Amino acid sequence: MGLEGVLLGMGNPLLDISAVVDEDFLKKFDIQLNNAILAEDKHKSMYDEMTAKYNVEYIAGGATQNSIRVAQWLLQVPGATSYIGCIGKDKYGEEMTKNSKQAGVNVHYYEDENTPTGTCAVCVVGGERSLIANLSAANCYKSEHLKKPENWALVEKAKYFYIAGFFLTVSPESIQLVAEHAAANNKVFMMNLSAPFICEFFKDPQEKALPYMDYVFGNETEARTFSKVHGWETDNVEEIAIKISQLPKASGTHKRITVITQGADPVCVAQDGKVTLYPVILLPKEKLVDTNGAGDAFVGGFLSQLVQEKPIEECVRAGCYAANVIIQRSGCTYPEKPDFQ
């Protein structure tokens, strides 16, 4: 089976500015660990302060882009994956393009002349991370770019689509175009809950995309927020996963499968009204570097097997493998070659 262009991701390409900080820094900028938010005015000076005060690393990031790169790494077939998003015409953007191409991803960035490439502060304390995204150019993506023949060709070619929920804040119109194409052509469309704030404040565009989702990914915190927002009055992740899988679907070709990660606790997969739990690979605390990109890596690993039509347990196993590799390194980075058997 030809894998070239089989998987297309669309999202917010961001450069991660990552540093191990301290509790005072978190307090000063009102940052909660294990959270992801959009930068507000109070965070404006934070990026410079991080760079001045701590040992900072710059790593190509953005949730969807991370997942696509990890899938590409595990597939080891150049150009098996493609990615669309908006960057600025600047050194960060150039760096990102170079990075992604080296990784084997076929990137079609929309370049915004007037806005800098988006960044994401990754604040790490005790191995746990918090993300504060300054979208900048990533926020400027337009569906006109997607409709251009050379970009829409990527949509036509792909059989699987993955978009993190974060893109709902940028271009719901682009998401609908891809979702409708997938439904009309019996392709597989997948999204991620991505963050509590998406479930809370972008409920409408999320609701509109939901019927098209064949797979819904998320973590336990996001699942519980989703439940609360929908008035389900349950905190039980297994129940929530089943309820999400049973929400109405636009097309009957594929049943919906919900995949919820729970940190060190088992991965919860819901389909056909029942849940299967898959244990993760446990890691001794002293080997944990940071959890930045762990969820994205899980999805990337999962997708690398899904596009090869492997069974769910293999998809989950690859997801757990990828997440385990990534949490032992800084940011969403990986060794040159995978050793996933």
Side-chain angles (χ1 to χ4, degrees):
M1 144 178 189
L3 286 172
E4 200 197 330
V6 70
L7 172 63
L8 172 63
M10 198 160 61
N12 302 335
L14 304 173
L15 190 77
D16 282 355
I17 302 174
S18 178
V20 175
V21 301
D22 49 44
E23 291 288 351
D24 292 343
F25 187 84
L26 298 183
K27 266 202 204 78
K28 178 174 179 180
F29 292 103
D30 190 20
I31 298 165
Q32 259 89 47
L33 286 176
N34 286 322
N35 200 10
I37 58 169
L38 295 176
E40 298 169 39
D41 284 343
K42 64 182 175 191
H43 301 114
K44 286 283 187 284
S45 65
M46 183 185 70
Y47 299 85
D48 288 341
E49 188 168 321
M50 258 178 103
T51 318
K53 227 171 129 175
Y54 304 102
N55 185 13
V56 165
E57 281 184 279
Y58 296 91
I59 307 160
T64 307
Q65 184 161 249
N66 284 342
S67 296
I68 293 297
R69 288 165 59 113
V70 168
Q72 178 61 49
W73 171 64
L74 274 157
L75 283 162
Q76 292 285 309
V77 176
T81 63
S82 310
Y83 176 79
I84 289 174
C86 184
I87 58 174
K89 246 185 155 41
D90 52 21
K91 70 173 198 309
Y92 285 169
E94 278 169 33
E95 194 54 33
M96 194 113 72
T97 308
K98 193 179 84 186
N99 242 308
S100 300
K101 285 187 172 156
Q102 276 171 349
V105 179
N106 178 17
V107 290
H108 282 218
Y109 292 127
Y110 168 52
E111 286 189 356
D112 189 289
E113 307 266 340
N114 311 311
T115 323
T117 296
T119 50
C120 181
V122 181
C123 303
V124 179
V125 173
E128 304 290 350
R129 60 87 180 131
S130 190
L131 309 175
I132 303 93
N134 184 10
L135 295 182
S136 297
N139 203 27
C140 300
Y141 190 79
K142 306 277 183 288
S143 59
E144 288 74 53
H145 176 261
L146 179 63
K147 291 174 187 165
K148 283 186 175 164
E150 65 272 27
N151 301 320
W152 191 254
L154 299 179
V155 177
E156 295 279 358
K157 189 161 195 184
K159 295 188 177 78
Y160 295 83
F161 303 96
Y162 175 67
I163 303 174
F166 294 119
F167 202 54
L168 288 165
T169 75
V170 173
S171 187
E173 191 191 342
S174 300
I175 294 175
Q176 283 307 117
L177 285 171
V178 171
E180 286 165 14
H181 166 87
N185 295 278
N186 298 335
K187 296 178 175 184
V188 178
F189 181 78
M190 304 170 279
M191 286 193 74
N192 202 310
L193 300 177
S194 289
F197 87 88
I198 298 289
C199 303
E200 288 178 292
F201 305 116
F202 292 87
K203 184 178 176 232
D204 293 347
Q206 190 183 56
E207 296 268 272
K208 209 175 156 200
L210 251 162
Y212 295 94
M213 296 181 206
D214 299 309
Y215 284 80
V216 176
F217 295 94
N219 68 23
E220 74 279 42
T221 319
E222 294 149 10
R224 288 184 178 124
T225 305
F226 188 93
S227 170
K228 193 175 87 195
V229 167
H230 288 78
W232 288 348
E233 295 185 355
T234 175
D235 255 355
N236 181 310
V237 172
E238 296 180 33
E239 274 178 50
I240 297 165
I242 288 176
K243 277 178 166 301
I244 291 173
S245 71
Q246 291 172 335
L247 290 168
K249 277 195 99 262
S251 137
T253 310
H254 310 286
K255 59 185 176 184
R256 183 179 301 114
I257 299 177
T258 316
V259 184
I260 306 293
T261 58
Q262 313 187 77
D265 293 326
V267 178
C268 169
V269 177
Q271 57 179 326
D272 300 325
K274 50 185 191 292
V275 162
T276 314
L277 295 174
Y278 298 93
V280 303
I281 310 160
L282 292 176
L283 186 74
K285 187 84 173 127
E286 64 275 8
K287 281 192 163 176
L288 173 70
V289 174
D290 70 52
T291 55
N292 180 25
D296 302 335
F298 174 84
V299 173
F302 189 101
L303 297 179
S304 73
Q305 304 308 298
L306 187 69
V307 302
Q308 299 180 74
E309 298 175 3
K310 299 277 174 70
I312 284 278
E313 51 271 23
E314 276 304 281
C315 299
V316 173
R317 192 169 73 86
C320 292
Y321 163 78
N324 185 266
V325 169
I326 264 80
I327 61 177
Q328 297 181 62
R329 302 166 67 92
S330 181
C332 197
T333 60
Y334 38 78
E336 197 187 338
K337 289 272 186 281
D339 58 0
F340 175 72
Q341 303 311 322

